[in-house]
Amino acid sequence: MCGIIGYTGNRQARDVILAGLRRLEYRGYDSAGIAIGNGSLNVFKDKGDLDHLVKIIPEMRGKFGIGHTRWATHGKPMKNNSHPMVDCNGEIALVHNGIIENNVSLREELMKKGHVFRSETDTEVVVHLLEEYYDGDLEVAMRKTLARLQGSYAVAAMHQKENGKIVGARNISPLVVGLGKRENFLASDVPAILEYTDRMIYLLDGEIITLTKDTVRITDFKGKSIKRNWQKVEMTLEGAEKGGYEHFMLKEIFEQPNSIRDTILGSNLNAESGYSFDLKPDTVKIIACGTSYHAGYVGKYMMEELARTPTTVELASEYRFSSDTSQAPLIIGISQSGETTDTLSAIKTAKKRGFSTLGIVNIVGSTMTREADSVFYTRAGLEVGVAATKTYITQLIAMLSISIKMGVAKEHLGIDDARYLTQEMRKLPKHVRSVLDQSDAIFDLAQEISGARSMFFLGRNMNFPVALEGALKMKEISYIHAEGYPGGELKHGPLALVTEETPVIAIAVKDQTYEKMLGNIGEVSARGAMVIAIGTEGDRELEKYADHVIYIPEVPPLFTPILTSVVLQLLAYHTANILGCEIDKPRHLAKSVTVE
Ligand code: F6R
């Protein structure tokens, strides 16, 4: 993970870099630091997030520099392990996102040559290699250095003697170049520099970039020049502001009606229109991580019911090591960022196995959009909160749209049924709004459960993955231990943990699992657990079983995960807020997970 940025131009680099780091903070916030060139090299860095750095950073004048916000991999969060890293003489500064896998052997080699290491990081070998190979030209030194590295990296470096020059390179970790007027930028992600320019070049693996304020030179690792055209980025920065909400997460939860509408509009849902991928695969395999995996898991039920297509879901980090024996599957990778290394590696593995791949991605221009054979864009807009909310909801919409299309193509779903479902889908923004209207009532329930040390989330069928997602949201932002289980599975072990101290959140909407869920609620109530149920509007029966009920509007059963998920997002949000947690930046986490 980590976010990196570089600037060269006529502005004070410190201001541009600090503003950019603010927008990159979602990539990690264990430490932050910047280096500014001004004839000499000034480096300032510390453990802690950007707010801390901004409070203590001195005036640093100079018109080119680099910055970093860290998610720790090698070495604890502490000042010495913060970036930028500098060489022995304090002449070269470097920032890095990724992991240098052969850092141990390189460190030994460099130490034997007399280099003095000051950190425990894998990154530090890179700056000492630059020092070792430097002979008056940072780009040349970078090329020689990269030839020695194994692993993933986006790097940016500067040398105090080469005024106004920034050299960067990419292998696996993302890096984008922003072209300004008499100024140029480099960053892990577009929003960091979007305030200054919308003309971007997405660097590819194996490319080196050398920037001055007037020149941009891209070469391959052998030194051959590469010509690339810039692209105009359509993204706006609106999503990067809180817009009056207390947290980005809450704002993003409330943006979901619009995100759903935009994704439906973009999904080309007319039953007659086509997609660019195979709509009649024999089987489907969905690969993703975290919340995106849960969206894929819900998608499995949609795919099997609407398109009668056998569908499996695998964690991307596990897929690579499996011996996939499926016959002609369509592989669907789901990733909001399009940069999750585990998911990208899984897509690459699938392609090597000869399978065709489809990416469901939110970020335009991200790596997955280039790796996958076809792309379905979710249109959630920029999501800043580390906990995924609106991007997840739009992934569910994407899975629903694709399942309907496949159902029609495979003739399991009649055109009229498909039209009915798409009409119902268009009502979803309104239904989500009615769930959002219950935010205050959900807050009251959050107060009831915020003292718990552990809780269970139960669901069945397509609401089982929603239970997993509800538990994930709760644990990642409130730090309360939570587990998601299929309602029927509790009695096979976990019931032993249920007491009056473990609240149970049970999804008991009116579908074919309803009666069974009532039974499961009875089982946990009998053990003293306080039960909050999520039910279908008008279902008064449920109130006899549960201590509290939150209702969602009546929709086709396959659509219920979209509404039940919103209830659970709000429950996690309010619980974490009552506990005073850092909701947008949960401890140890980062939004874009670019390590394996
Ligand atoms: C949790 C969360 C993560 C991500 C996961 C995959 O709220 O956001 O679990 O879902 O890291 O990220 P993407 O979708 O970018 O591949």
Side-chain angles (χ1 to χ4, degrees):
M1 278 92 96
C2 306
I4 69 171
I5 181 165
Y7 172 75
T8 174
N10 290 321
R11 304 172 201 254
Q12 287 303 323
R14 173 190 184 273
D15 303 339
V16 177
I17 291 168
L18 289 177
L21 288 179
R22 175 73 63 206
R23 302 203 196 283
L24 286 174
E25 233 194 335
Y26 71 88
R27 301 178 72 88
Y29 27 82
D30 288 331
S31 69
I34 74 175
I36 301 292
N38 188 6
S40 62
L41 187 64
N42 291 313
V43 177
F44 195 82
K45 57 187 187 177
D46 204 1
K47 173 186 166 177
D49 63 10
L50 192 66
D51 282 340
H52 168 69
L53 190 85
V54 168
K55 265 189 220 135
I56 59 168
I57 196 168
E59 192 57 40
M60 295 166 84
R61 298 190 69 76
K63 300 198 171 164
F64 76 113
I66 54 179
H68 188 269
T69 179
R70 178 167 188 247
W71 185 82
T73 54
H74 292 58
K76 287 193 286 289
M78 53 191 253
K79 185 171 176 176
N80 277 6
N81 290 336
S82 311
H83 302 211
M85 295 284 155
V86 290
D87 67 319
C88 298
N89 302 321
E91 291 184 327
I92 306 172
L94 170 104
V95 288
H96 167 223
N97 163 213
I99 290 182
I100 306 302
E101 284 165 5
N102 57 338
N103 75 88
V104 174
S105 57
L106 287 172
R107 182 183 276 251
E108 273 168 20
E109 173 191 323
L110 287 157
M111 282 171 74
K112 274 190 201 136
K113 288 188 169 148
H115 290 265
V116 178
F117 279 75
R118 301 184 188 94
S119 80
E120 299 155 359
T121 65
D122 54 325
T123 300
E124 198 177 348
V125 296
V126 187
V127 79
H128 290 288
L129 282 172
L130 285 172
E131 177 184 8
E132 190 65 25
Y133 294 125
Y134 188 76
D135 193 13
D137 186 333
L138 189 59
E139 184 186 316
V140 173
M142 181 64 87
R143 191 161 289 115
K144 290 183 178 161
T145 296
L146 299 180
R148 303 291 317 280
L149 303 182
Q150 286 161 19
S152 59
Y153 47 81
V155 289
M158 55 194 278
H159 195 295
Q160 67 172 19
K161 287 189 192 136
E162 295 189 58
N163 202 28
K165 188 192 275 185
I166 307 283
V167 180
R170 164 185 174 147
N171 183 44
I172 302 174
S173 307
L175 197 56
V176 61
V177 181
L179 309 179
K181 287 204 179 89
R182 306 221 64 204
E183 60 183 350
N184 288 307
F185 307 80
L186 201 58
S188 298
D189 204 350
V190 169
I193 49 181
L194 194 56
E195 193 180 334
Y196 310 100
T197 180
D198 58 4
R199 297 187 302 150
M200 307 278 173
I201 300 173
Y202 296 95
L203 281 199
L204 301 180
D205 287 350
E207 291 182 344
I208 297 179
I209 177 86
T210 305
L211 294 179
T212 66
K213 70 181 160 65
D214 297 311
T215 59
V216 174
R217 191 173 119 81
I218 303 178
T219 49
D220 68 14
F221 283 9
K222 297 219 164 81
K224 193 165 146 254
S225 281
I226 297 174
K227 185 139 180 46
R228 301 278 307 284
N229 294 328
W230 56 265
Q231 298 175 25
K232 188 170 157 49
V233 170
E234 301 295 344
M235 192 187 285
T236 66
L237 272 179
E238 201 182 297
E241 311 298 334
K242 279 192 208 147
Y245 285 90
E246 198 178 345
H247 296 98
F248 279 109
M249 182 178 175
L250 189 62
K251 173 177 168 252
E252 287 156 3
I253 290 174
F254 274 81
E255 281 171 347
Q256 292 181 118
N258 288 348
S259 311
I260 292 173
R261 185 203 56 207
D262 293 347
T263 303
I264 293 175
L265 283 175
S267 72
N268 209 359
L269 252 186
N270 297 328
E272 294 79 13
S273 57
Y275 283 145
S276 60
F277 51 90
D278 180 13
L279 281 170
K280 296 185 193 176
D282 292 344
T283 60
V284 167
K285 187 176 287 276
I286 301 170
I287 45 184
C289 304
T291 290
S292 297
Y293 168 78
H294 296 152
Y297 210 145
V298 176
K300 164 190 159 69
Y301 292 94
M302 296 171 170
M303 197 65 86
E304 291 186 337
E305 185 163 331
L306 299 174
R308 293 281 186 273
T309 303
T311 303
T312 48
V313 200
E314 266 193 60
L315 288 164
S317 52
E318 292 294 313
Y319 177 71
R320 274 213 295 165
F321 306 103
S322 71
S323 334
D324 190 345
T325 52
S326 15
Q327 297 296 310
L330 171 67
I331 301 283
I332 304 184
I334 307 183
S335 174
Q336 86 78 23
S337 62
E339 300 294 352
T340 301
T341 304
D342 285 324
T343 313
L344 290 172
S345 305
I347 288 278
K348 281 188 191 142
T349 306
K351 282 171 80 175
K352 269 194 211 130
R353 290 173 178 168
F355 303 149
S356 53
T357 55
L358 164 69
I360 297 180
V361 187
N362 195 49
I363 300 292
V364 178
S366 57
T367 307
M368 189 181 297
T369 64
R370 288 188 296 270
E371 291 290 343
D373 301 320
S374 318
V375 180
F376 182 113
Y377 281 108
T378 51
R379 299 189 184 216
L382 185 68
E383 186 176 72
V384 177
V386 163
T389 51
K390 62 176 180 170
T391 54
Y392 159 79
I393 287 292
T394 56
Q395 291 165 349
L396 298 182
I397 296 293
M399 287 308 305
L400 200 47
S401 309
I402 295 168
S403 305
I404 293 172
K405 285 293 226 175
M406 273 193 189
V408 173
K410 291 184 143 193
E411 296 180 14
H412 291 299
L413 200 62
I415 291 279
D416 287 345
D417 289 339
R419 286 220 179 97
Y420 165 74
L421 288 173
T422 51
Q423 271 162 15
E424 289 300 305
M425 273 177 83
R426 292 194 178 104
K427 294 181 193 158
L428 280 169
K430 183 182 79 186
H431 294 322
V432 169
R433 248 174 247 122
S434 80
V435 173
L436 296 173
D437 286 345
Q438 300 178 70
S439 182
D440 287 349
I442 297 171
F443 173 87
D444 292 342
L445 297 180
Q447 275 188 316
E448 300 251 343
I449 60 173
S450 59
R453 295 190 57 208
S454 183
M455 54 182 88
F456 282 97
F457 288 71
L458 304 185
R460 277 175 176 252
N461 201 248
M462 64 258 174
N463 275 301
F464 158 53
V466 175
L468 294 177
E469 173 60 10
L472 175 63
K473 284 284 97 82
M474 186 61 78
K475 56 191 153 194
E476 72 178 325
I477 61 168
S478 76
Y479 313 144
I480 297 174
H481 172 252
E483 288 195 52
Y485 262 94
E489 192 59 20
L490 221 55
K491 57 187 176 293
H492 298 292
L495 197 57
L497 292 174
V498 173
T499 67
E500 54 284 348
E501 281 167 17
T502 50
V504 173
I505 325 300
I507 306 168
V509 291
K510 282 283 174 106
D511 61 13
Q512 76 269 33
T513 70
Y514 176 71
E515 300 295 338
K516 294 272 180 276
M517 274 307 299
L518 291 187
N520 300 142
I521 292 174
E523 286 158 17
V524 294
S525 290
R527 271 82 193 171
M530 190 265 274
V531 177
I532 297 175
I534 304 174
T536 305
E537 219 159 54
D539 177 13
R540 298 284 158 233
E541 181 69 12
L542 189 54
E543 290 169 16
K544 295 184 194 150
Y545 288 79
D547 298 274
H548 306 278
V549 182
I550 291 287
Y551 289 107
I552 60 159
E554 190 170 356
V555 290
L558 269 184
F559 292 16
T560 58
I562 292 152
L563 304 179
T564 52
S565 295
V566 177
V567 176
L568 297 183
Q569 291 169 348
L570 284 169
L571 191 66
Y573 171 80
H574 287 309
T575 307
N577 206 15
I578 290 163
L579 293 172
C581 300
E582 273 265 30
I583 292 182
D584 288 329
K585 293 186 282 179
R587 70 182 176 214
H588 310 327
L589 301 180
K591 191 149 190 75
S592 192
V593 186
T594 53
V595 294
E596 281 179 296

